[in-house]
Amino acid sequence: MNLRTPRLSPAIMIASVALFVALGGTGYAAVIVATSNNAKHLGGQPPSFYLQARHFAYSHGEQFLHAGQTKVLGKNGHFTFSSTCSKVGGQNQVTFDVTADTTADLDGTGPSPAGTKVNIHTNSDALDTTPQAALNPGDFDQVGSASSSTEISKDGEEADIFYNDGVNWPAGHGSKAHDCFAGYTGFIGGFNGSSQQ
């Protein structure tokens, strides 16, 4: 049995192209109308003025630091999260901090001007020693937050993040030693703010 592939006639091809173009024009017009209606319902602002209700905020994993170093862990919206590793009393200490590029309430401290640095958490083996869990100087120590830190900017943008920080990452199993480490994950939502004057 000989099977033949059907061939389209020139008339069918021209009609198909004409139909595709006609439908494409209608679709384009529908997008224009929908965009116009959206702007009316969004206070006259384009959709790009607003962020979706929930975007992920994160530091792209843990960042390792050595004593005397400060690193930006990540920037999400108005908020920049950073960490500083230092030696205090001969022991490693790490901070987890936040700043904003606009007036914002950072970690529940009340509205602060742009550029204000607020410490969310400080960690070391000395600070985290308890009678039930005594840590020796130089012991590995890690703290993951049990509750989030909330940052709110003056235009309503909000970041809710869970931080993780620690000191004295040991060498071994293919990893070199690090004085400090820190990272975070969470959500950000509200206004974009980039379109405001």
Side-chain angles (χ1 to χ4, degrees), residues 1-6:
M1 183 170 164
N2 189 7
L3 295 177
R4 293 179 48 194
T5 304

Side-chain angles (χ1 to χ4, degrees), residues 11-191:
I12 293 289
M13 288 192 299
I14 291 170
S16 297
V17 169
L19 178 62
F20 179 77
V21 170
L23 290 175
T26 303
Y28 178 75
V31 169
I32 296 298
V33 170
T35 302
S36 174
N37 287 337
N38 283 346
K40 290 176 187 172
H41 297 321
L42 297 173
Q45 298 294 338
S48 61
F49 178 79
Y50 299 94
L51 290 174
Q52 289 182 358
R54 289 291 174 207
H55 286 277
F56 289 109
Y58 49 89
S59 59
H60 299 281
E62 296 295 310
Q63 303 290 319
F64 292 103
L65 300 91
H66 56 78
Q69 185 179 26
T70 297
K71 265 191 183 181
V72 170
L73 302 174
K75 181 170 178 10
N76 302 106
H78 291 294
F79 310 107
T80 300
F81 298 94
S82 61
S83 184
T84 298
C85 183
S86 56
K87 290 273 187 196
V88 177
Q91 297 185 52
N92 292 321
Q93 178 173 289
V94 63
T95 65
F96 185 86
D97 308 301
V98 62
T99 58
D101 62 11
T102 187
T103 300
D105 174 11
L106 304 173
D107 199 39
T109 59
S112 301
T116 302
K117 187 181 203 177
V118 171
N119 174 248
I120 293 173
H121 189 251
T122 300
N123 184 29
S124 76
D125 51 13
L127 288 172
D128 291 331
T129 291
T130 65
Q132 297 80 21
L135 295 172
N136 297 314
D139 280 354
F140 173 82
D141 185 38
Q142 177 177 344
V143 171
S145 63
S147 62
S148 67
S149 173
T150 301
E151 330 309 329
I152 305 172
S153 69
K154 67 178 182 177
D155 64 5
E157 183 178 78
E158 179 178 332
D160 296 292
I161 60 99
F162 292 88
Y163 59 84
N164 178 59
D165 54 35
V167 294
N168 306 320
W169 180 278
H173 306 289
S175 173
K176 64 180 185 175
H178 299 283
D179 296 329
C180 304
F181 59 95
Y184 67 94
T185 187
F187 301 96
I188 188 164
F191 294 104

